[in-house]
Amino acid sequence: MLRNVLGKTFRFLGYTVQYGCIAHCAFEYLGGVVVCSGPSMEPTIQNSDIVFSENLSRHFYCIRKGDIVIVKSPNDPKSNICKRVIGLEGDKVCTSNPSDFLKSHSYVPKGHVWLEGDNLRNSTDSRYYGPVPYGLIRGRIWLKIWPLNDFGFLRASPNGHRFLDD
């Protein structure tokens, strides 16, 4: 009897560990559901919107300008932030605020990206903490799940004029 109970217990633990490993790999390498909070990505993503983040792009270096990404916060590694990629390594970016009279520019260093929120007046982003290492990118958001009336692929940046091509 004890042998039977121990056998079932170890079998259950074995299945639990196997399925736990599968779930971990799926969330780490494929993607997952993310609840976004804060006003920095308005109007594209509102507070409490639910989105799907895929993680394959970061592993294959397929992140492009205009993508919205989930990133480990450079200020607080325990939290994630959601921002739009404005510049990739080697790109020239406008580093000043939209309200500044004189515009300043700099180049994104190798292995980094320049991130900004769509709500430029209410976003702590690369204009504040500088270029972000590519390794901090956790995934790329490509689909809004909730609210249902907004379900679908994410729209283009309302700040498209900030993308520089020289």
Side-chain angles (χ1 to χ4, degrees):
M1 166 120 162
L2 179 63
R3 188 176 200 175
N4 190 20
V5 170
L6 284 176
K8 287 182 180 182
T9 302
F10 284 126
R11 207 167 322 145
F12 174 75
L13 288 174
Y15 287 132
T16 303
V17 168
Q18 286 177 345
Y19 292 125
C21 290
I22 291 169
H24 168 75
C25 288
F27 290 126
E28 179 66 23
Y29 295 103
L30 297 179
V33 176
V34 178
V35 178
C36 296
S37 62
S40 72
M41 285 302 294
E42 291 177 356
T44 309
I45 298 175
Q46 304 289 328
N47 192 29
S48 300
D49 280 359
I50 300 174
V51 296
F52 183 79
S53 170
E54 61 85 13
N55 299 349
L56 289 173
S57 294
R58 75 180 171 112
H59 292 294
F60 294 113
Y61 296 93
C62 297
I63 302 294
R64 299 181 314 227
K65 277 197 263 185
D67 287 346
I68 300 174
V69 291
I70 300 290
V71 180
K72 284 282 183 199
S73 172
N75 294 338
D76 178 16
K78 292 180 182 176
S79 66
N80 293 320
I81 57 174
C82 176
K83 303 291 180 198
R84 190 178 298 272
V85 176
I86 301 299
L88 302 170
E89 61 181 41
D91 286 344
K92 181 180 178 182
V93 293
C94 180
T95 58
S96 56
N97 287 317
S99 59
D100 292 348
F101 179 72
L102 294 173
K103 302 296 180 198
S104 59
H105 299 90
S106 71
Y107 288 91
V108 181
K110 184 174 176 131
H112 289 71
V113 293
W114 189 270
L115 303 174
E116 291 182 2
D118 285 354
N119 184 355
L120 293 174
R121 299 203 187 281
N122 197 1
S123 176
T124 302
D125 49 36
S126 287
R127 294 171 296 153
Y128 172 74
Y129 44 70
V132 176
Y134 193 91
L136 292 182
I137 296 175
R138 305 300 304 145
R140 179 177 64 96
I141 296 175
W142 63 278
L143 184 69
K144 188 185 288 191
I145 300 171
W146 189 264
L148 285 177
N149 63 334
D150 236 358
F151 180 87
F153 297 107
L154 296 172
R155 58 181 171 260
S157 171
N159 305 313
H161 63 281
R162 292 187 53 86
F163 293 89
L164 299 176
D165 290 326
D166 46 345

